[in-house]
Amino acid sequence: MKRSICLILLICVYPLVGKAQKADVPPVFQNQQPLTLSMTFSIKEVKKNTVDSVYIPSTLKFKNDAGAMDSIPVRIRARGNFRRANCFFPPIRMKMKKGDAEKTIFTGNKDFKLVLPCQSGKGGNDLIMKEYLCYKLLEPLTPYHFHTRLADLVLTDKSGKSKSYNVKAFLIEDDDLIAHRFKGKVIEQQIHPMQLNDTASVVNDLFQYLVANTDWSSAMQHNMKVIQVSNKKIPLAYDFDMAGLVNAPYATVNESLPISSVQERLYRGFCRNEATVQYVRSEYLRLETQLMKIISDHQSYFNERDYAGIRKFIEEFFITLKSDKKFKDAIITGCRTK
């Protein structure tokens, strides 16, 4: 009987997460070697502009596939309220014309998010690498994820006397590309979380628990996009800088939550059919080795202490998943009802 139930779930539930062909992924995200980029703009001017429709012209210089430096005109603006107000480097939304992007490594793209460290210096680069790692850990769990590409960026700030910074950064693809890849569309209006597809929702909720992130809301589309594929509404998670895995010094917990540290895990998913939750649990356990390999593949980016801390943090998540009691307490009875 149990075997029959698992087979039904495998056939009827898991395909809901869908699959996309690699050919549908823009070339810039198919290659995972770090990009070499440089940009010049006034950080002060970008942060001062609070009108989302106003973009500032700049030029993105990059090393092409032949190893030579090339350039493309872009328009940029700051995004995100918290980091714009509290960080030296604001996160950037970048637009380029389709015609300019053609015949470059950016062909097929018109919009990017460029994620920068909060502060200059090695500490900022360490944190950006931890946030980047969150995106990489999500990839094996669902095809509904933002593709990313790590970059070594030379950013020259022309606010007053010019000064250059060498920083780690990464590009995030536009949500419209993901929707197009699955023949769907981006949903802009607010929706109740229970309208999301069951399986995709639990995959997302459990991932947010894995990285200990509570700074998201599918209802308010805060650090979350929603796409509709056929008759299914699918969450797309992004912006993990407040997650416990990153443990940024500026990260805080909403005072309404029963935790005092971002490194305390709290399941924020709504209650779903237990069979679906248990199925997603089994998929996470099946992928444990692959997720740990992703961490080890990025070991060179972290010092010994940070690397050991990351591994321990993820291992603690799997300890919960492997214990029926811990899993029931944290997830099955810990889920939200309102």
Side-chain angles (χ1 to χ4, degrees):
M1 181 65 179
K2 288 183 178 179
R3 186 175 180 180
S4 298
I5 292 173
C6 290
L7 182 59
I8 291 170
L9 283 170
L10 185 63
I11 294 172
C12 298
V13 180
Y14 190 63
L16 293 177
V17 299
K19 287 191 176 181
Q21 299 298 317
K22 187 176 181 181
D24 295 326
V25 179
V28 69
F29 295 112
Q30 291 187 25
N31 185 338
Q32 285 296 292
Q33 290 298 313
L35 289 164
T36 299
L37 306 176
S38 69
M39 295 185 74
T40 299
F41 57 84
S42 167
I43 293 176
K44 183 178 180 180
E45 182 183 4
V46 169
K47 291 172 72 172
K48 185 173 65 175
N49 172 39
T50 58
V51 181
D52 287 351
S53 60
V54 175
Y55 284 75
I56 296 168
S58 184
T59 299
L60 178 66
K61 297 180 180 178
F62 59 93
K63 186 177 288 186
N64 61 28
D65 292 336
M69 292 303 294
D70 201 346
S71 65
I72 184 172
V74 295
R75 294 176 296 129
I76 63 172
R77 68 166 174 85
R79 67 176 188 88
N81 295 323
F82 181 89
R83 281 202 261 193
R84 187 204 306 251
N86 294 277
C87 296
F88 179 72
F89 299 115
I92 296 295
R93 176 170 287 280
M94 180 166 54
K95 288 182 176 289
M96 55 183 64
K97 291 182 178 179
K98 182 178 179 181
D100 292 332
E102 292 301 322
K103 298 183 180 179
T104 75
I105 60 174
F106 301 111
T107 184
N109 295 272
K110 295 188 296 181
D111 297 79
F112 289 106
K113 292 174 184 174
L114 177 64
V115 184
L116 303 171
C118 179
Q119 304 294 341
S120 60
K122 187 179 184 304
N125 284 335
D126 291 343
L127 293 174
I128 206 72
M129 286 306 307
K130 290 180 182 179
E131 185 176 359
Y132 173 73
L133 183 62
C134 291
Y135 286 88
K136 306 313 288 183
L137 289 171
L138 182 58
E139 289 183 9
L141 297 167
T142 171
Y144 298 110
H145 61 261
F146 288 93
H147 286 96
T148 56
R149 180 82 178 268
L150 192 63
D152 294 309
L153 171 68
V154 177
L155 195 161
T156 301
D157 178 20
K158 62 176 187 179
S159 307
K161 186 177 181 180
S162 292
K163 183 175 181 180
S164 293
Y165 302 88
N166 294 293
V167 301
K168 292 291 184 184
F170 59 92
L171 293 173
I172 303 177
E173 72 174 326
D174 187 63
D175 49 15
D176 284 333
L177 286 180
I178 303 176
H180 176 75
R181 189 150 60 241
F182 292 97
K183 298 178 174 59
K185 63 180 181 179
V186 178
I187 299 175
E188 300 294 346
Q189 72 270 22
Q190 295 180 12
I191 64 167
H192 192 279
M194 291 302 290
Q195 292 181 266
L196 297 172
N197 170 260
D198 276 8
T199 306
S201 179
V202 177
V203 169
N204 169 78
D205 300 342
L206 208 52
F207 177 77
Q208 303 282 8
Y209 183 77
L210 182 151
V211 299
N213 187 36
T214 58
D215 185 36
W216 62 279
S217 168
S218 52
M220 303 303 294
Q221 294 203 23
H222 171 61
N223 293 336
M224 181 78 62
K225 292 290 186 179
V226 177
I227 60 172
Q228 181 155 338
V229 179
S230 185
N231 63 340
K232 302 181 291 291
K233 294 179 176 64
I234 310 291
L236 297 173
Y238 65 96
D239 277 9
F240 304 110
D241 63 309
M242 292 287 188
L245 180 62
V246 179
N247 198 24
Y250 57 81
T252 58
V253 175
N254 189 305
E255 60 184 17
S256 67
L257 300 179
I259 55 176
S260 58
S261 165
V262 294
Q263 291 207 297
E264 291 183 61
R265 287 188 168 93
L266 178 68
Y267 189 68
R268 298 288 292 153
F270 277 73
C271 296
R272 300 282 184 166
N273 179 280
E274 186 172 344
T276 301
V277 177
Q278 292 291 353
Y279 174 73
V280 174
R281 175 194 184 188
S282 71
E283 285 299 295
Y284 269 77
L285 290 170
R286 181 179 67 83
L287 292 167
E288 178 183 6
T289 300
Q290 189 173 346
L291 295 177
M292 298 310 293
K293 184 179 184 303
I294 290 172
I295 295 171
S296 62
D297 286 345
H298 291 81
Q299 181 175 359
S300 62
Y301 291 104
F302 303 104
N303 62 44
E304 186 175 340
R305 180 180 178 181
D306 279 353
Y307 176 70
I310 291 168
R311 287 192 65 90
K312 183 175 184 293
F313 196 73
I314 300 302
E315 286 166 355
E316 288 170 349
F317 165 82
F318 282 106
I319 288 173
T320 297
L321 257 64
K322 292 172 184 176
S323 165
D324 288 339
K325 183 180 185 309
K326 290 180 184 294
F327 187 79
K328 181 180 179 181
D329 290 345
I331 309 301
I332 301 299
T333 61
C335 58
R336 297 171 63 185
T337 56
K338 61 180 180 179

